Amino acid sequence: MNDATPIVRKGRKFDQVLDGARDVFMVDGFEGASVDDIARAAGVSKATLYSYFPDKRLLFMEVANMECARQSQSAVDFIDMNAAPRDVLCQAGKHFLRFITSKFGQQIFRICVAESDRFPEIGRAFYKSGPERMRAVMGEYFRAAVERGDLDIDDFTLAADQFGELCKADVWPRLMFGVVDTVSDADIDRVVDNAVQTFLARYGT
Amino acid sequence: MNDATPIVRKGRKFDQVLDGARDVFMVDGFEGASVDDIARAAGVSKATLYSYFPDKRLLFMEVANMECARQSQSAVDFIDMNAAPRDVLCQAGKHFLRFITSKFGQQIFRICVAESDRFPEIGRAFYKSGPERMRAVMGEYFRAAVERGDLDIDDFTLAADQFGELCKADVWPRLMFGVVDTVSDADIDRVVDNAVQTFLARYGT
DNA sequence: CACAATATAAACTGTTCCGTTCAGTTTCTA
DNA sequence: TAGAAACTGAACGGAACAGTTTATATTGTG
């Protein structure tokens, strides 16, 4: 399981390969994406691709890591943490739900769930930069809000998880399993408003 | 999209095929499972298998449907719908969480999420016999409980979804993404008890 | 210019696997 | 017990795909 041929980053076309791989993986998933397709999408020969990456799996890992890092970076930057809890939660919930219902969020989730059985590193990397990061950020907010007397929470981590799950109700599974293929803003508003209401019924002051 | 060759249920070895398919799919996933392996595991020739099922996809769908139906049936049978709401919810929640955290429930979910992009029927069928069935059963219970004055719910469907999601908090994503690979009874109790508490804070009387 | 690193296209290897076919055997049933 | 229905085993067609090789071309650099 040791990498005799580690990833090589030098060379003019490294980024091209990564971009092409990202595009194809996002459309076709891991098994569904053929290396020929990736090479074509990247505008690169297959031999060149294999000179950068020893195999398909490591190529995907590199793409997934990049993409998760990029997402978690931009995810929670723009919410005003000093507003009233109801507003903070609504903003955060809607932002979150919009992301996980986007074509992009869906596909990353799909691939990570499917492949983390065969390649556990993929799943763990996703968890760290996705759910775990959300936990941390919300936990921090909860701590401050409790200190101000705005919320009454004992287990910050569990509360954060509960909120995230509440936001998924109804709309997310229907999308994930292809019962619908679009989610309206009205749906998002309805679900998140309801999630916030339930959440505050338990943890509000 | 019409099935020129529908599933044939007569024949001595129908159940053998289904059992073998279930075992192999659960270990190898959908793409990973080869039809030859399934036939071998079922103790049946490939020709026999194909005399029952027109293709691999429909074979899998049958397995998934059976298993979901079996599960939701056992949940309905097992739970005393006349107990106090807190007890009913605790029982239902624990039953549900035990199922979706079982090796079996995990794998079904994994496969359906992964494949419902390429084969939407798989996802939709799973949704119908899984989440949607849970909605129906819980919705019915809610209606009765509201009539008795035990609960105060306006949107039965959304409430059912919220309860299901609340039960997943914390423990389920960690399992799904390989952060842990076992869930203790204590974890299940803790998460469900908390889910019930949050749920009743909103909908209890 | 010369030379070395990098890139290319295309053919090739080896494998996996779905689904079909068919001649022959076993099991059921009337 | 005879014919029908179900089943078998093995082979095969055909396609997809990961990864390699080869002979050639492009690019950057001292």
Side-chain angles (χ1 to χ4, degrees):
Chain A
M1 194 49 92
N2 39 4
D3 303 326
T5 319
I7 295 170
V8 179
R9 275 166 209 283
K10 67 185 174 186
R12 315 195 292 282
K13 312 218 163 173
F14 184 82
D15 290 336
Q16 269 184 55
V17 173
L18 223 48
D19 288 351
R22 194 200 54 213
D23 292 348
V24 177
F25 278 135
M26 283 307 134
V27 172
D28 295 336
F30 178 75
E31 297 288 354
S34 89
V35 176
D36 291 272
D37 281 354
I38 293 173
R40 199 174 314 119
V44 142
S45 77
K46 216 156 54 134
T48 301
L49 187 155
Y50 275 104
S51 80
Y52 287 124
F53 298 93
D55 62 30
K56 188 186 177 185
R57 188 177 112 272
L58 280 181
L59 172 56
F60 175 77
M61 292 268 298
E62 190 67 16
V63 170
N65 282 338
M66 287 245 117
E67 222 45 48
C68 283
R70 215 168 59 92
Q71 266 309 322
S72 68
Q73 199 60 33
S74 78
V76 201
D77 291 345
F78 87 125
I79 295 165
D80 174 15
M81 294 296 200
N82 297 313
R86 164 161 268 113
D87 296 329
V88 174
L89 291 171
C90 273
Q91 278 183 41
K94 280 163 195 177
H95 194 266
F96 171 65
L97 190 51
R98 262 196 299 269
F99 172 59
I100 67 170
T101 57
S102 71
K103 186 71 197 141
F104 192 85
Q106 276 181 69
Q107 197 59 285
I108 261 237
F109 185 87
R110 245 184 250 285
I111 298 176
C112 288
V113 163
E115 302 303 328
S116 67
D117 206 37
R118 221 176 292 266
F119 305 125
E121 322 92 84
I122 290 178
R124 281 195 287 269
F126 174 77
Y127 186 82
K128 274 195 77 166
S129 56
E132 195 160 281
R133 183 151 169 71
M134 173 154 167
R135 272 185 172 184
V137 172
M138 296 212 66
E140 210 166 326
Y141 168 72
F142 288 159
R143 192 180 307 275
V146 166
E147 236 161 55
R148 284 197 305 269
D150 283 350
L151 291 173
D152 178 20
I153 301 176
D154 50 344
D155 187 336
F156 297 141
T157 306
L158 188 62
D161 286 344
Q162 284 189 338
F163 181 67
E165 294 297 333
L166 278 172
C167 288
K168 290 191 199 163
D170 184 48
V171 69
W172 185 78
R174 293 218 321 268
L175 200 66
M176 215 60 213
F177 295 117
V179 178
V180 299
D181 48 32
T182 313
V183 172
S184 70
D185 282 352
D187 282 333
I188 289 183
D189 289 352
R190 186 183 118 257
V191 169
V192 171
D193 289 348
N194 245 288
V196 172
Q197 208 171 329
T198 299
F199 186 84
L200 287 180
R202 165 91 190 267
Y203 299 112
T205 53
Chain B
M1 195 51 84
N2 39 4
D3 301 327
T5 319
I7 294 171
V8 179
R9 277 165 207 282
K10 65 188 173 183
R12 314 194 292 282
K13 311 216 164 174
F14 184 81
D15 291 336
Q16 271 183 53
V17 173
L18 225 48
D19 289 350
R22 195 199 55 211
D23 293 348
V24 177
F25 278 134
M26 285 308 130
V27 172
D28 296 337
F30 179 75
E31 296 290 353
S34 91
V35 176
D36 291 272
D37 280 354
I38 292 174
R40 199 174 313 120
V44 142
S45 77
K46 217 160 47 137
T48 300
L49 187 155
Y50 275 103
S51 80
Y52 288 124
F53 298 93
D55 61 30
K56 187 187 178 186
R57 193 173 42 84
L58 281 181
L59 172 55
F60 174 76
M61 287 183 52
E62 191 66 16
V63 169
N65 282 339
M66 286 249 118
E67 219 46 48
C68 287
R70 215 167 56 92
Q71 193 51 38
S72 65
Q73 193 54 46
S74 91
V76 172
D77 293 346
F78 180 80
I79 294 164
D80 173 15
M81 294 295 199
N82 296 313
R86 164 161 269 112
D87 295 329
V88 175
L89 291 170
C90 273
Q91 280 182 40
K94 280 162 195 177
H95 197 92
F96 171 66
L97 191 50
R98 263 195 298 270
F99 173 59
I100 66 169
T101 56
S102 70
K103 185 71 198 143
F104 209 87
Q106 275 181 69
Q107 197 61 286
I108 273 231
F109 185 88
R110 247 184 249 284
I111 297 175
C112 290
V113 163
E115 302 304 327
S116 67
D117 208 37
R118 215 178 297 264
F119 303 125
E121 319 92 87
I122 288 180
R124 282 196 287 267
F126 173 76
Y127 187 81
K128 273 194 79 165
S129 57
E132 194 159 283
R133 178 137 178 78
M134 175 154 166
R135 273 184 172 185
V137 172
M138 294 210 68
E140 209 166 326
Y141 168 72
F142 288 160
R143 191 180 308 273
V146 166
E147 237 161 55
R148 283 198 304 269
D150 283 351
L151 290 174
D152 178 19
I153 301 176
D154 51 342
D155 187 336
F156 297 143
T157 306
L158 187 62
D161 286 344
Q162 284 189 339
F163 181 66
E165 294 297 332
L166 279 172
C167 289
K168 291 191 197 162
D170 182 50
V171 69
W172 184 78
R174 293 218 321 268
L175 200 65
M176 215 59 215
F177 295 116
V179 178
V180 299
D181 47 32
T182 312
V183 173
S184 70
D185 283 352
D187 282 333
I188 289 182
D189 289 352
R190 186 182 118 258
V191 169
V192 172
D193 288 348
N194 245 289
V196 171
Q197 209 171 328
T198 299
F199 187 84
L200 288 180
R202 164 92 190 268
Y203 298 112
T205 53

